[in-house]
Amino acid sequence: MSDAISALLNVLDLEPLEVNLFRGRSPQTGWPRVFGGQVIGQALVAASRTVEGIAAHSMHAYFVLPGDPKVPIVYEVERTRDGRSFTTRSVKAIQHGRPIFIMIVSFHNDEDGLDNQMPMPDVPAPETLPGEDAVLRDILPTLPEQVQRYYKRERPIELRPVDYGHYLGRKPADGRFNVWIRTTAPLPDDIAIHQCALAYASDMTLLDTALVPLGRTLFEKDFMGASLDHALWLHRPFRADEWLLYSQDSPNLHGSRGLSRGLIFRRDGTLVATVAQEGLVRLRRSEP
């Protein structure tokens, strides 16, 4: 198991403090605030620890305050509802005595019924795209410094964009950003772990998608960005350690708020999840 995956599993392995109360810690990477996907994943872990024999199907969250990576995060779970078909949990993440994040998670006993889904975009398979070695050798030197720093460090989630042109200022014809994702090492055979890993990964690249139609990126020094809310619906079974296509677009950017959406497919075309997020995309003020 890679060090990055071991670190991710440690991050998702919350410490039980009391009934409905858990403590999570942040990796000490030097970032000034906690990665939003980490809080989403840890909150889902906390909620999942209070149910048995039932899987999450949707979660809706708000980022209230930036997280401090230097101190633990306490997760308080409220058992809002335990029904025959649906179970609901409310999760509050607390630091320094104040809520920094709130999320509602719904769990559902899977039922038989009608079936329909949008088709997966026709994109190259991940094996045909540049791998990590090729990216580091041939593509990375052409990308902005901030992008280079991200791709050079060991990560628990491998990202393989279908087209790196977004980072070079090119606008895709269809306004979409397609990227293959998977964990960088196998995960345990536990549905909850795969759901939490995908929840963690679903926050990656999504906010930046709000700038794709403009040929801009949050890696530019002109912008500051932060996730405001996040919604994730889980439709069908999947493994987060197998390639998944994360197909993203942005229908609106206005008032310094960008709305981004994503469909996540197994490589056989099965739609496994839908994501939506509104985030702050603010132009930095010029110094007088």
Side-chain angles (χ1 to χ4, degrees):
M1 182 178 295
S2 71
D3 290 342
I5 286 296
S6 179
L8 174 61
L9 292 176
N10 286 335
V11 163
L12 296 177
D13 187 18
L14 303 185
E15 176 189 358
L17 298 177
E18 202 13 296
V19 176
N20 302 331
L21 207 60
F22 306 88
R23 178 162 54 201
R25 301 186 183 276
S26 303
Q28 300 304 298
T29 59
W31 285 83
R33 61 189 182 194
V34 177
F35 169 52
Q38 173 196 317
V39 189
I40 297 168
Q42 287 181 330
L44 181 56
V45 170
S48 299
R49 293 272 183 90
T50 67
V51 301
E52 192 172 340
I54 188 171
H57 76 92
S58 72
M59 59 211 71
H60 300 264
Y62 281 93
F63 296 92
V64 181
L65 290 170
D68 181 354
K70 297 183 180 66
V71 299
I73 305 173
V74 174
Y75 293 90
E76 181 180 2
V77 181
E78 177 187 286
R79 302 186 183 223
T80 309
R81 178 175 186 263
D82 287 278
R84 286 184 298 179
S85 296
F86 290 90
T87 294
T88 308
R89 295 290 184 261
S90 301
V91 185
K92 184 186 298 182
I94 302 167
Q95 277 188 324
H96 303 295
R98 297 184 296 174
I100 65 167
F101 173 90
I102 53 177
M103 183 165 82
I104 295 178
V105 187
S106 182
F107 298 81
H108 181 217
N109 284 312
D110 202 19
E111 303 176 23
D112 293 332
L114 302 176
D115 195 82
N116 181 53
Q117 68 159 76
M118 292 185 67
M120 185 173 78
D122 184 13
V123 300
E127 294 82 7
T128 68
L129 299 171
E132 291 281 306
D133 292 341
V135 169
L136 291 173
R137 183 187 66 246
D138 302 328
I139 298 176
L140 208 60
T142 69
L143 300 179
E145 181 183 348
Q146 296 93 327
V147 182
Q148 292 189 38
R149 286 203 302 265
Y150 174 79
Y151 276 96
K152 284 178 180 176
R153 71 174 189 264
E154 189 178 12
R155 307 178 310 280
I157 306 297
E158 182 176 358
L159 305 175
R160 197 169 289 190
V162 171
D163 183 3
Y164 284 85
H166 164 54
Y167 299 117
L168 299 174
R170 294 201 297 266
K171 302 178 186 178
D174 60 359
R176 303 195 69 85
F177 182 66
N178 293 301
V179 55
W180 290 97
I181 63 173
R182 67 175 177 182
T183 59
T184 53
L187 297 176
D189 294 330
D190 182 338
I191 292 174
I193 289 293
H194 289 266
Q195 288 188 335
C196 294
L198 185 64
Y200 175 98
S202 68
D203 193 41
M204 292 180 167
T205 73
L206 190 58
L207 179 58
D208 193 46
T209 301
L211 290 169
V212 165
L214 302 178
R216 307 291 299 273
T217 172
L218 282 173
F219 287 107
E220 298 175 35
K221 295 180 179 179
D222 293 342
F223 295 105
M224 64 165 291
S227 302
L228 297 175
D229 60 22
H230 194 93
L232 171 63
W233 294 266
L234 299 164
H235 308 308
R236 297 174 179 86
F238 64 90
R239 290 189 64 95
D241 53 9
E242 296 178 351
W243 284 116
L244 300 168
L245 179 68
Y246 197 178
S247 183
Q248 304 162 50
D249 71 352
S250 177
N252 187 71
L253 174 60
H254 179 73
S256 296
R257 299 189 315 275
L259 178 65
S260 300
R261 308 175 297 188
L263 300 177
I264 302 178
F265 299 88
R266 292 201 312 250
R267 61 182 305 156
D268 65 0
T270 300
L271 179 65
V272 301
T274 299
V275 190
Q277 182 184 91
E278 188 174 49
L280 180 69
V281 183
R282 179 180 286 162
L283 282 166
R284 296 185 186 274
R285 294 182 177 88
S286 300
E287 295 294 333

